[in-house]
Amino acid sequence: MPFHVGRVVPGTTFPEFEREDEKDMSEKQQNTVQNQAVQNEKKNNPQLRLLIFLIELIVLIAAIAGSVVLVKSYNDPKRVADSYFNALKAGDYATAYSYLQTEDGMETSAFLNADVYASVMEEYGFTGETADVRDSIEKEYGETYYVLDAGKGTHAIQVVETGKKNWFFFQEYEVRPYNFYAEDVYITAPKVMTVSVNGIELNSGNSTRDDHSSEVYLSAYETAYKIDRMFVGDYRIQVSGDVFQTYTEDVTVNAYYNVFMMEIPTLKEGTLERIAETLPDTIQSLYQSALNGDDTQTAFAAAGLHEPSETEAGRYEVLMDDFYLSDGYFTEVTLSEFEAETYGGYFDWETGEYRSNITMDFNIAYSYDILDWWTESYYESKESEAYGYFSCDLIYRNGEWVLEEIYISSGVYAW
């Protein structure tokens, strides 16, 4: 059936809409009448006005008290201390570290950072059920301290205001550990050695090296590394060198004066023995030069040695005299059965260089011809044996071993 849109005749009414409008109007009139009645009742009944005021006041006080309690709960230093200690007990060192003060020297460095903090706190043994926060608060000089007991000691802290606020109401706090920082920690070691602390090699970027420190006593061979500031706790110091054995020493750094003197290092096993294996060639070269009649400088150069000292020159000349025959000449000289003996090393107190000593015994088999004294012609041949002796100091200088104080005795007696 077709639908036709007709014209609305002015004055036409719609009963459904009229009923809705009348209903809304009726409810508004009722509310107005009720409110007016309440207002009239308040004016006519003072007791009611007082009761309503008291109720509103109680609600306001309760709201203020709740806000105060809420703010106080978030501004409680003990709550901050508990949160910090709970992080330590849980092994959450990153969170615990975030509580520490950020000013007054807490700048990040090789020995003041989250990683070092974690390794130090791990040594305390705070994790697990053994750690316990004291119920009582330590007080000293009027200041409040919170203490966490652990298997290897205690950790005392203060909770201080930073002067800043969060969300305008909540005071910001930070944790300030008590006696937790060590100042000017010195580690002395031989100059030729490399020093590391907990795997961190000491260098100009994380410490100050001084070969002539006025703060600590140094021998000629020592140097001092000064770490300006670090956490207290247990550290492992490792000392190593290219020809020395690496050794470690566990130390405890505290908040007081700390100076750690490293021991004299020991050569790597077999170092002197390997040097001794090269000495027979040196000795035989010197013997050959003496047989040739070479002067001291020529002989030392041929053997790959340093410029001879006056003393060494005199000793070599004695060797030449042993192989000088006024009425004959040597036909053969054979060195054999070398046996070396090494001695423990030490650092020279004057030069600071590392020194050791090595000696070598060997057999000498030699033969020579004797000339007739009158005719200077061949007279007879002789053979003999002797025991030779060689000694020298080994000096580790500028990364290499140098032979000095060379002494040699041929043991040859020919006539």
Side-chain angles (χ1 to χ4, degrees), residues 287 290-291 314-326 329-330 333 364 366 368 386-389 407-415:
Y287 268 74
L291 285 168
R315 293 169 179 170
Y316 174 75
E317 290 172 0
V318 173
L319 179 64
M320 291 182 63
D321 289 342
D322 289 343
F323 289 105
Y324 172 74
L325 297 177
S326 60
Y329 53 90
F330 285 85
V333 176
I364 304 175
Y366 58 95
Y368 57 97
Y387 293 100
Y389 177 81
Y407 174 79
I408 189 167
S409 174
S410 69
V412 170
Y413 182 68
W415 56 279

Side-chain angles (χ1 to χ4, degrees), residues 30-226:
Q30 289 178 4
N31 290 336
T32 302
V33 172
Q34 289 177 357
N35 290 336
Q36 187 64 40
V38 171
Q39 295 299 325
N40 292 336
E41 183 66 23
K42 286 183 178 181
K43 292 179 181 180
N44 298 328
N45 192 340
Q47 290 82 2
L48 180 60
R49 293 202 307 269
L50 179 60
L51 178 60
I52 294 174
F53 172 75
L54 292 176
I55 292 174
E56 292 175 344
L57 182 61
I58 291 173
V59 173
L60 178 61
I61 293 174
I64 295 174
S67 299
V68 170
V69 171
L70 180 63
V71 172
K72 185 177 180 180
S73 66
Y74 279 94
N75 282 266
D76 182 13
K78 179 62 165 61
R79 180 179 177 277
V80 175
D82 287 340
S83 298
Y84 173 71
F85 288 149
N86 287 336
L88 285 179
K89 293 170 70 175
D92 187 359
Y93 301 116
T95 297
Y97 184 76
S98 68
Y99 281 88
L100 298 187
Q101 64 187 58
T102 56
E103 298 178 357
D104 189 25
M106 262 300 296
E107 69 279 356
T108 299
S109 67
F111 297 101
L112 288 176
N113 56 60
D115 292 336
V116 177
Y117 171 84
S119 65
V120 169
M121 301 312 280
E122 181 71 27
E123 290 294 325
Y124 274 91
F126 288 134
T127 56
E129 299 179 356
T130 57
D132 181 50
V133 180
R134 293 186 190 174
D135 294 333
S136 60
I137 297 175
E138 297 286 330
K139 291 185 176 180
E140 184 177 338
Y141 306 116
E143 297 178 335
T144 302
Y145 294 88
Y146 304 91
V147 180
L148 179 64
D149 291 313
K152 294 185 180 180
T154 60
H155 185 49
I157 65 170
Q158 287 181 285
V159 179
V160 298
E161 298 180 358
T162 65
K164 302 177 182 178
K165 291 189 177 181
N166 294 323
W167 303 103
F168 301 103
F169 297 103
F170 305 116
Q171 176 64 51
E172 184 178 85
Y173 290 97
E174 62 188 10
V175 171
R176 182 175 297 172
Y178 177 69
N179 281 346
F180 193 58
Y181 301 101
E183 311 283 346
D184 297 339
V185 179
Y186 285 90
I187 300 174
T188 69
K191 296 175 182 177
V192 296
M193 306 294 283
T194 298
V195 181
S196 63
V197 179
N198 279 12
I200 303 172
E201 183 178 329
L202 298 185
N203 53 49
S204 59
N206 55 40
S207 60
T208 303
R209 177 172 175 170
D210 188 357
D211 294 340
H212 307 283
S213 175
S214 60
E215 299 296 327
V216 294
Y217 175 77
L218 294 176
S219 299
Y221 65 89
E222 291 178 311
T223 189
Y225 294 91
K226 184 184 76 169

Side-chain angles (χ1 to χ4, degrees), residues 349-395:
W349 283 74
E350 295 182 359
T351 65
E353 297 172 329
Y354 187 85
R355 304 176 71 95
S356 186
N357 181 266
I358 188 168
T359 63
M360 184 162 286
D361 296 319
F362 49 92
N363 289 339
I364 304 175
Y366 58 95
S367 58
Y368 57 97
D369 290 344
I370 302 298
L371 301 179
D372 182 86
W373 188 80
W374 295 101
T375 64
E376 295 185 355
S377 59
Y378 172 79
Y379 176 69
E380 64 176 329
S381 296
K382 291 187 176 182
E383 296 181 355
S384 185
E385 292 185 356
Y387 293 100
Y389 177 81
F390 174 89
S391 71
C392 67
D393 285 345
L394 298 175
I395 297 93

Side-chain angles (χ1 to χ4, degrees), residues 243-366:
V243 297
F244 298 96
Q245 295 183 22
T246 298
Y247 72 94
T248 60
E249 184 175 338
D250 294 327
V251 303
T252 298
V253 176
N254 56 51
Y256 306 101
Y257 185 70
N258 284 288
V259 176
F260 301 102
M261 312 288 290
M262 298 298 100
E263 299 176 359
I264 294 178
T266 303
L267 287 176
K268 289 181 178 179
E269 187 174 352
T271 298
L272 296 181
E273 287 74 11
R274 285 190 291 273
I275 296 174
E277 291 175 356
T278 68
L279 292 183
D281 291 340
T282 301
I283 296 170
Q284 293 191 59
S285 177
L286 291 174
Y287 268 74
Q288 187 61 52
S289 293
L291 285 168
N292 296 340
D294 298 332
D295 60 44
T296 306
Q297 290 188 339
T298 301
F300 271 56
L305 300 174
H306 60 275
E307 184 77 12
S309 66
E310 184 176 343
T311 301
E312 290 171 328
R315 293 169 179 170
Y316 174 75
E317 290 172 0
V318 173
L319 179 64
M320 291 182 63
D321 289 342
D322 289 343
F323 289 105
Y324 172 74
L325 297 177
S326 60
D327 57 349
Y329 53 90
F330 285 85
T331 57
E332 186 177 7
V333 176
T334 303
L335 310 182
S336 63
E337 299 183 22
F338 291 91
E339 291 186 4
E341 187 171 357
T342 60
Y343 299 89
Y346 63 97
F347 281 98
D348 192 295
W349 283 74
E350 295 182 359
T351 65
E353 297 172 329
Y354 187 85
R355 304 176 71 95
S356 186
N357 181 266
I358 188 168
T359 63
M360 184 162 286
D361 296 319
F362 49 92
N363 289 339
I364 304 175
Y366 58 95

